[in-house]
Amino acid sequence: MTRFIFITGGVVSSLGKGLASAALGACLQARGFKVRLRKLDPYLNVDPGTMSPYQHGEVYVTDDGAETDLDLGHYERYTGVASRKSDNITTGRIYSDVIARERRGDYLGATVQVIPHVTNAIKDFVKSDVTDEDFILCEIGGTVGDIESLPFLEAIRQLGNELGRERTMFIHLTLLPYIPSAGELKTKPTQHSVKELLSVGIQPDLLMCRSERDIPDSERKKIALFCNVRYEAVIPALDVDTIYQVPISYHDQGLDAQVCRHFHIDSAAPNLDRWRTIVDRVRQPEGEVTIAVVGKYTSLLDSYKSLAEALTHGGIANNVKVRLNWIDSQIFEREDVVQHLEPCHGILVPGGFGERGASGKIEAVRFARERLVPYFGICFGMQMAVIESARNLAGLKGASSTEFGPCENPVVGLMTEWLKGNLLEKRVATGDLGGTLRLGAYDCALKRDSRAREIYGADMISERHRHRFEVNMDYRAQLEQVGLSFSGLSPDGVLPEIVERPDHPWFIGVQFHPELKSKPFDPHPLFTSFIAAALRQSRLV
Ligand code: GLN
């Protein structure tokens, strides 16, 4: 029997609802249950694919090619369960489906309304693609009280009724702000937030109270009394020094035990050893390396969430702390790269879109190549590495990407056709922006004797993609002549997936996003190897 846990947030946004959901998933999994996590997003975009990274942070891509909310990255990193298209829905998607059905005449002349048509579509989504999971954890985006989230709250209220108390649970995450002048943690915003939930018919079964300080017992009792929740189900969720401590702390506060109690399930205490090992490593590293991340969206670090995580995982694998030096590449248009990059032990250019800041990224590649500093180019970062070699080594005048407009030597060009399984995907330059990139998992064949082959220890790999442009194979011979090896190709040999420089200590560019598949307990081999190279570099300087 699959049980559904709905997680809402109150008082303010950015309380770490995604992380809390992921941590609960990890705890239940550690008790031996099969879990799946989902996110219901109340915004009107069909998916976050066209949203600015400054607005929404990273777009997390699934194997099956969905562009989803970054919280799905937390879910996957904490549980190891690969997210699917069916794990993220938005108001935009729900409405476009409902309207498409209305146009087809599926509603047989009915007046189409939020209740029941939109709420039914939400409920269908929540229950869809469920097989033998013990728990489906559904996080509702936004904060209770937002206009946009009302249909979602109504839908989960109805589900609570339909499936019954024994199959559903409502968890509400709130904040207890500390008021320094009073020297007190305040419970009133939590009381108001629960009132707001009650006004739409939802009585939370458990409260997770985020707080920067210990919550006195008296306040915990007060919350229980005023919010009509058992005392043990008021879970203190205190700030911790590392996010990997979250499953351990929430477990210590009784979170998963209370969930089991709610559902009347007897289960042995979870084994959280793998999280303890990770926390120990994070707290007691044996060294430190500094990585320069030369990007564009450095003012909102959520834009690079999975990347920062994957670099940390590479550190965990090597037992070192990874210090990240976020550099806005535009600075290199005004200032010399040397002063910024010289103190770093590795340079990474992440994924990106558009011409702004591209020349600074190319300068960073040049520095890494010439000074033999480990270089890792991801997606856009691979394309910039190719342009750098084309311009500075192969003498290809005006070498550039057609993403920036027409150019003399398009070493990176628009992808107009590629194979997805047996299907031919086609694109035109004037097509829609949303959902039209090359998305999701594709295989890549690795060249024998290449560094990529050695790092992966496999001939064939599968990685996730999200790009519209590709390195132009017409220039392959010229680029190989100047030392750039094409060490990974699509199985049909048509699309370049990995380039590397055999004459350099560590210089790899990948067209895919390896950061999306890295996990703290299973660091991605490319990140492990890159950090190891940075560690060697740190011993040289
Ligand atoms: N803008 C580039 C493209 O569309 C790179 C995309 C990315 O880095 N994710 O191909």
Side-chain angles (χ1 to χ4, degrees), residues 350-354 378-381 383 403 437 466-470 511 513:
F353 291 83
I378 294 182
C379 205
F380 200 65
Q383 298 172 357
E403 182 171 359
L437 288 88
R466 181 171 186 253
H467 63 120
R468 203 181 297 283
F469 297 84
E470 63 172 329
Q511 189 56 76
H513 290 274

Side-chain angles (χ1 to χ4, degrees), residues 19 23 26 74 77-78 240-250 272-283 305-316 518-521:
L19 208 60
H74 288 309
R77 282 189 288 274
Y78 275 62
V240 285
D241 59 337
T242 150
I243 57 166
Y244 307 118
Q245 173 65 24
V246 175
I248 302 170
S249 294
Y250 288 1
L272 294 171
D273 284 352
R274 73 171 173 185
W275 293 102
R276 292 202 175 88
T277 309
I278 292 165
V279 169
D280 285 348
R281 285 206 164 200
V282 169
R283 285 186 183 153
K305 192 82 216 159
S306 295
L307 179 71
E309 286 291 303
L311 285 162
T312 306
H313 305 161
I316 292 173
S518 188
K519 304 182 180 69
F521 41 82

Side-chain angles (χ1 to χ4, degrees), residues 381-403:
M382 165 185 176
Q383 298 172 357
M384 295 305 108
V386 168
I387 294 174
E388 195 279 328
S389 283
R391 284 186 191 171
N392 299 331
L393 293 175
L396 289 164
K397 258 208 237 110
S400 191
S401 167
T402 57
E403 182 171 359

Side-chain angles (χ1 to χ4, degrees), residues 472-519:
N472 186 344
M473 287 289 254
D474 293 348
Y475 290 92
R476 180 176 178 177
Q478 277 155 289
L479 290 163
E480 286 194 327
Q481 241 163 32
V482 295
L484 202 65
S485 165
F486 284 57
S487 55
L489 296 175
S490 56
D492 60 5
V494 173
L495 296 176
E497 292 277 8
I498 307 180
V499 294
E500 60 184 71
R501 300 199 74 87
D503 62 351
H504 187 284
W506 208 100
F507 189 105
I508 295 182
V510 295
Q511 189 56 76
F512 46 80
H513 290 274
E515 71 274 25
L516 301 177
K517 284 175 64 165
S518 188
K519 304 182 180 69

Side-chain angles (χ1 to χ4, degrees), residues 449-463:
D449 298 328
S450 65
R451 180 168 286 138
R453 168 73 188 68
E454 183 194 316
I455 292 171
Y456 276 97
D459 296 321
M460 190 70 87
I461 57 162
S462 168
E463 292 281 5

Side-chain angles (χ1 to χ4, degrees), residues 276-352:
R276 292 202 175 88
T277 309
I278 292 165
V279 169
D280 285 348
R281 285 206 164 200
V282 169
R283 285 186 183 153
Q284 285 147 6
E286 280 166 10
E288 184 176 303
V289 295
T290 303
I291 303 295
V293 182
V294 183
K296 182 156 86 173
Y297 316 111
T298 47
S299 59
L300 179 68
L301 293 183
D302 264 1
S303 312
Y304 300 114
K305 192 82 216 159
S306 295
L307 179 71
E309 286 291 303
L311 285 162
T312 306
H313 305 161
I316 292 173
N318 286 284
N319 233 347
V320 291
K321 178 175 170 57
V322 178
R323 211 172 267 289
L324 298 180
N325 187 2
W326 300 97
I327 301 175
D328 180 345
S329 59
Q330 278 180 292
I331 201 162
F332 298 148
E333 288 162 18
R334 302 183 299 276
E335 294 174 23
D336 191 30
V337 289
V338 178
Q339 52 168 319
H340 291 277
L341 297 181
E342 209 161 42
C344 300
H345 310 122
I347 296 169
L348 190 150
V349 174

